[in-house]
Amino acid sequence: MTLTVYGASLSPFVRKVRVFLAEKGEAYKLEQVNIFPPPDWFLEISPLKRIPVLRDENEGAEATLPDSSAICGYLEKKFPAPALYPADAFAFGKALWYEEYADSDLAGNVGMGTFRPMVVNRMMGREADRETAEKTMAEKLPRNFDYFEKEIGSKTYLVADSFSIADISLATHFVNLAHAGFRPDEKTWPNLTRYLAGILARPSFAACIEEETALLGKFGL
Ligand SMILES: N[C@@H](CCC(=O)N[C@@H](CS)C(=O)NCC(=O)O)C(=O)O
């Protein structure tokens, strides 16, 4: 197997790359890396100390690439079919924008505001911080949900009527939100709820969710 993804399966950015690879039908090996703290060898290939990193032995022994966005962009060039970026120029730009929004603002609110207090805390033997998570759900995430509710409307996919990097980038954070025990209210955000049900039921996402749910079960979560 020539592709290795370094990371932890509960990371939304690692999941983004795994779903991308699954949708491309490409086999890979997942090598778990604990980033609290990262080992020295990992810092050599991830200067920002973050997961994921991809290794492609096909490109040479030293061919590693950090950052989920760089990795997905690379994989699209290397394995063009099925296309996971829109061909149309403006739709391409929109997909990159949704990816950026999800990777930054949404990721911060879900990760620091719900997943870390509810899941990481407990995996590390600390108490869950439900107060922080509920405050995030009440005060920060509604702005993110409102934005996507409007952008999605009656659509099945965010951009150009087909499944793309935009859908992967958005939906991956809702897996972490669900692991933390939260989801957008169906009555307030019906478009978002319907859309997510469709995206997360894809075999690429479903396989990750099943594996992660089993892992969380081992921690009693
Ligand atoms: N822009 C990066 C973000 C990756 C990221 O923040 N990963 C988190 C785990 S979910 C991480 O490695 N955090 C460790 C740290 O920030 O020290 C990407 O898309 O890959």
Side-chain angles (χ1 to χ4, degrees):
M1 200 163 299
T2 64
L3 295 174
T4 303
V5 176
Y6 297 96
S9 37
L10 292 170
S11 156
F13 301 101
V14 171
R15 187 183 311 109
K16 179 179 156 191
V17 169
R18 297 185 75 193
V19 168
F20 198 95
L21 281 163
E23 294 280 346
K24 291 283 183 189
E26 291 299 325
Y28 64 93
K29 186 171 74 186
L30 177 68
E31 201 169 308
Q32 299 282 343
V33 177
N34 183 348
I35 44 162
F36 299 117
D40 287 345
W41 66 265
F42 185 70
L43 298 180
E44 298 280 319
I45 61 170
S46 183
L48 295 178
K49 306 184 193 173
R50 293 193 177 140
I51 50 173
V53 171
L54 178 80
R55 183 186 297 279
D56 186 350
E57 282 166 30
N58 237 346
E59 301 289 329
E62 306 296 316
T64 59
L65 196 55
D67 191 89
S68 66
S69 301
I71 295 168
C72 292
Y74 164 68
L75 292 171
E76 181 75 3
K77 287 268 184 205
K78 178 126 184 184
F79 308 109
L84 292 175
Y85 288 77
D88 173 77
F90 188 69
F92 177 77
K94 283 289 270 195
L96 295 187
W97 153 244
Y98 289 133
E99 179 184 21
E100 170 57 23
Y101 182 109
D103 282 0
S104 56
D105 197 51
L106 179 64
N109 288 337
V110 172
M112 299 307 286
T114 69
F115 187 76
R116 209 170 259 238
M118 294 303 292
V119 181
V120 178
N121 267 12
R122 285 193 280 175
M123 287 179 89
M124 293 187 145
R126 296 193 293 260
E127 287 285 300
D129 177 1
R130 179 164 285 279
E131 195 185 326
T132 296
E134 284 179 351
K135 198 165 153 57
T136 304
M137 273 303 283
E139 295 176 11
K140 292 192 173 166
L141 281 165
R143 193 172 40 82
N144 299 132
F145 297 166
D146 285 347
Y147 177 70
F148 284 107
E149 177 71 12
K150 194 162 121 306
E151 294 296 298
I152 290 162
S154 60
K155 290 186 276 189
T156 304
Y157 305 110
L158 266 173
V159 183
D161 291 330
S162 74
F163 182 74
S164 77
I165 184 69
D167 303 302
I168 299 175
S169 304
L170 177 59
T172 189
H173 297 290
F174 285 88
V175 177
N176 285 68
L177 187 68
H179 287 332
F182 299 97
R183 58 190 73 246
D185 175 60
E186 198 178 338
K187 291 205 182 72
T188 314
W189 296 285
N191 298 333
L192 178 60
T193 306
R194 171 197 49 76
Y195 160 86
L196 285 171
I199 302 296
L200 296 178
R202 294 176 76 87
S204 54
F205 266 110
C208 286
I209 293 167
E210 191 182 330
E211 188 188 305
E212 293 167 33
T213 304
L215 174 67
L216 288 168
K218 289 190 187 149
F219 286 86
L221 296 171

